[in-house]
Structures are given as structure tokens and as C-alpha cells.
Amino acid sequence: MDWKLPFSPLVRRLLTGAALLALALTWVVDLVALYQPAGASAPIRWLPVFVTGPLAVLALPDTRRSPSLTARAVGVAAMSAVLTCVCLSVSGRVANWGLLETLALLFLIVRVLAGTESDRTTAWTVAALVAAVLMLPLRGRTVATLVAGQYVLTVALSLAVLIGCFLRAMEARRQRAVQDVRYAERLALARDLHDLIAHHMTGIIVQANAARTVHAIAPEKVDPALEAIARSGTETLESMRRLVRVLREDNHQALRPADLLSGLGDLVTTFSGRRTDAPAARFEAGAAARTSRFSPEVETSVYRVVQEALTNVHRHAPGERVVVRLDADPDWLHVTVTNSLAHRRTGSPAGGQSGLGLIGLRERIEALDGEFWAGAVDPAQWEVRASVPRSPADPVLGLPG
């Protein structure tokens, strides 16, 4: 049961264990009360204990295939309200309206307040749960049950809302603290970027002046000086790109699956926007690639392959059709970038001077035990293809984030 609370893993496990114990003991109380003599019809007495109560408990944990927390909470609130209306419509009512269902509804209120991001969604979801809880005493047989139940549930609701709001405030404060740390780190990176560029540019200026000075007396020394200038410029550009990439990141983590798909989509969209007189590039992703998760280094490497391939298309085949395809199978993640070839070429697509280049990409992919290939598949089509094995630790869910 993942409560997503702003505590350490040990505290979360302790809270989860305590909640499970409380739910189990409450269900035992429901079972004991069920077999006590009562004047209600059997189906009405059994429903809160064996239907609505367990279903409300099943709505608490997050699983891979479960609906959103909001959908589960609203569904449980509606189910509870419907059962209350059924109890009101029949002559026989229950002495115990369902303590397990009540406790699960209170836990859902805490969960929604602590874990739902949208304030508006949180407000109306909690309102539905509160209404369902306040309707529970209407299932009772006497006015005394109604009055006592309303009093007890009002106090319990106040505590649940207070705890949920407290956890929500703690999470908001934690996020603000994280943003402050990231802002301070980005300022430090910006200072590093300034110092780095200033250092390299000073060296480039010195080397350029030296080359101009020795040009007349030692022409053979000009070429080595120009090579050193080019090398320093390349190192400066690469260092600047790495730091600017960090400055642009919202969290200094590797891409996750949803971010990989959206990142590739944004990359293709940006590439298409630069080609005003050419067909838009197309991005395709298979069903397995959309639903699978991969290790961070795999996802980052795939992103770099597409980035470098699109850069080469822009430089060497402007105006041609481009298709980016992402596929996955149980063992591999495959990415393919295909573009048509113009009859008049401006240069060879191999290698490249932007980013890592195709040679650098080959080394990166092969370092992950993957396969990389780039070349013409026919006289009218060029293709860049990379296949990277899934993370051996967990081929379905990837690494824990």
C-alpha cells in the first residue's frame, strides 16, 4: 500500500502496517456484530461487511492497473451513498452500519488531501467522501444511533481532514525547499558556465593572436595553432551544452518513460517547426514502447540518437521526409530514424560535427551492449537504427525512481 507521504521509507512502512492492522481489527468487529441478533433482513446486514467495506479498502492502495485515486475515491463515495439510500428504502435497518467501510472512507479522505495535486479536484472529491461518511448513520434503526453516529463521525472527519491538510502542507513545504535548492544550484552552474567560457575564450584569443604573429615568420606553425583553436572551441561548446542542459532540467534525473515519449515528441515537433517549406516529421511509438519502462541510461541514449539523427537530417538532407519510430519487445528497445535522400546532397551524413556525432553514438550504444547502424537502405532512403537491451534488473518496470 503506497501512501505517498512525505516521510522516510521506514516511517511509511510503519504507518502502512498500522493502517492495515487497524483495518483488519475493524473488520473483525464488523464480523462479530454481523452474527449478533438483529431485526434487519440478511442482505442488508451482509452488504457493508462483505461488499462495500472490502471494496472501499481495495480502493486505498495504488497498483499499476488501478484507476486514479480521484476515480477510486468518487466511486467508493457513490457506492456508500447508494447503499445508504437502499437501507432507507427498506423497513429493516442495521445496528452496525459498517465500521470497516467508515474507516476506509476516512483513510481515503486523508489520502486524497495528501496526494492529489489539483486543489479543485481535491475539494470536490473530499466533499463527496465527507457526504458519504455523514450519511452512514442514516442506516441505523434508532434516533439515538443517528445522533451518536453523527457526533462521532463529525469528530473523526475533523481529525481526518486535519491530518490530510497537515500532510499536504508538509509536502508543499518540501517541494518549495527542493525548488530553492535547485535554484541555488542553477545559480552556481551559471557562475561555472561564465568562468568556463571565459577561460576557454581567453585561450582561443591567445592562440589566434599567436597564429597571426607567426604567420609571416613560421607559416608551418599556423596549422597546429588553428587545430588547437578548433579543438578549444569544440571543447567549449560541448561544456557549455552540458551545463545549459542541466540548467534547463526541472529535476536532475534521467528521463522516465512518459518523459522519453514526450521528449521525443517535442524534439520532432521542434525539428518540424524549423522546416517551413518541407513536410513535417512524423513520430510513431508502438504500444509496447508506450507502456514499458526502461533504465535511465537506455532512455537517455535513445533520446541522444534521435537528437543527433535529426541534426544530421537538417544539415545534410533539408526538406526531406523524416519518420522517427520507437518500438519495444521483451528484451530490446528499438529506435529508427528514416529520411528520404535528395538527389543533390550537401555532404556525407556520416560522423557529424554537432553533438556526439554518429561515431560517438555508436560508442555510447555499444557500451550498453546495444547495436547501432547508420547508412543508406536504398538509393532514396537513409536510416539510423539503434537497439538497446532493457535493464537486466527489471525489464518491465525499470529502475525505481
Side-chain angles (χ1 to χ4, degrees):
M1 187 180 297
D2 184 9
W3 294 93
K4 295 183 179 179
L5 300 180
F7 299 124
S8 65
L10 176 60
V11 174
R12 285 200 295 267
R13 286 195 291 267
L14 291 175
L15 291 175
T16 300
L20 292 174
L21 179 61
L23 291 169
L25 293 177
T26 304
W27 196 36
V28 171
V29 174
D30 271 347
L31 291 173
V32 172
L34 178 65
Y35 291 102
Q36 297 298 320
S41 58
I44 297 298
R45 297 180 60 203
W46 283 60
L47 284 176
V49 181
F50 291 105
V51 179
T52 57
L55 287 178
V57 172
L58 291 176
L60 288 171
D62 289 323
T63 61
R64 188 173 59 182
R65 297 182 180 180
S66 62
S68 65
L69 177 59
T70 301
R72 300 198 306 269
V74 172
V76 169
M79 175 186 64
S80 177
V82 168
L83 180 58
T84 301
C85 294
V86 171
C87 291
L88 288 173
S89 64
V90 299
S91 58
R93 298 184 186 175
V94 292
N96 179 9
W97 60 69
L99 297 180
L100 179 63
E101 179 182 344
T102 305
L103 187 59
L105 287 169
L106 293 174
F107 281 169
L108 277 173
I109 291 175
V110 176
R111 284 221 58 199
V112 170
L113 284 171
T116 307
E117 296 182 0
S118 173
D119 293 338
R120 179 178 298 179
T121 302
T122 301
W124 66 261
T125 305
V126 170
L129 290 169
V130 169
V133 172
L134 292 177
M135 291 175 62
L136 289 173
L138 297 176
R139 303 177 185 177
R141 294 182 295 177
T142 63
V143 176
T145 303
L146 175 62
V147 174
Q150 289 289 356
Y151 172 76
V152 172
L153 289 180
T154 300
V155 174
L157 281 172
S158 300
L159 292 175
V161 172
L162 181 62
I163 294 173
C165 291
F166 172 72
L167 295 175
R168 189 178 186 87
M170 286 186 60
E171 177 62 17
R173 186 169 61 179
R174 186 193 67 82
Q175 291 180 359
R176 286 194 299 269
V178 170
Q179 291 298 328
D180 291 341
V181 171
R182 290 174 181 167
Y183 179 71
E185 184 178 353
R186 291 183 181 188
L187 289 179
L189 287 171
R191 290 192 294 268
D192 293 342
L193 179 62
H194 171 270
D195 296 340
L196 177 70
I197 295 177
H199 170 74
H200 283 291
M201 290 305 298
T202 300
I204 290 174
I205 293 173
V206 170
Q207 292 169 352
N209 289 332
R212 184 173 60 182
T213 300
V214 302
H215 177 266
I217 57 177
E220 70 278 2
K221 295 183 179 180
V222 173
D223 287 341
L226 293 178
E227 291 178 0
I229 291 173
R231 184 169 57 252
S232 298
T234 302
E235 293 175 357
T236 304
L237 185 60
E238 289 298 324
S239 299
M240 184 179 65
R241 283 175 175 170
R242 284 194 295 267
L243 288 177
V244 169
R245 187 180 305 126
V246 173
L247 288 173
R248 289 179 176 176
E249 290 177 351
D250 291 331
N251 51 24
H252 302 287
Q253 299 176 355
L255 294 170
R256 303 310 303 166
D259 294 328
L260 175 63
L261 293 175
S262 61
L264 293 180
D266 293 340
L267 194 64
V268 173
T269 301
T270 302
F271 174 79
S272 299
R274 297 159 58 187
R275 297 149 46 99
T276 56
D277 57 347
R282 189 169 73 251
F283 174 59
E284 301 173 352
R290 292 182 180 276
T291 57
S292 300
R293 300 186 68 176
F294 309 93
S295 62
E297 62 271 18
V298 169
E299 296 176 348
T300 304
S301 298
V302 168
Y303 183 89
R304 300 301 176 230
V305 168
V306 176
Q307 187 179 47
E308 182 64 23
L310 293 180
T311 299
N312 284 338
V313 172
H314 179 71
R315 292 171 53 243
H316 300 300
E320 300 301 313
R321 294 184 302 275
V322 181
V323 178
V324 178
R325 177 73 186 178
L326 190 68
D327 290 300
D329 57 42
D331 299 318
W332 296 81
L333 175 63
H334 309 280
V335 61
T336 305
V337 181
T338 305
N339 65 275
S340 57
L341 289 178
H343 296 292
R344 180 173 52 85
R345 302 258 304 272
T346 58
S348 173
Q353 300 174 0
S354 175
L356 295 174
L358 295 183
I359 297 176
L361 287 181
R362 182 185 300 277
E363 295 175 351
R364 184 178 191 132
I365 297 299
E366 290 179 352
L368 298 175
D369 295 329
E371 300 174 357
F372 180 86
W373 185 86
V377 294
D378 57 55
Q381 184 170 290
W382 180 272
E383 186 174 277
V384 175
R385 183 170 63 247
S387 298
V388 188
R390 290 174 179 261
S391 172
D394 190 343
V396 178
L397 294 179
L399 298 177

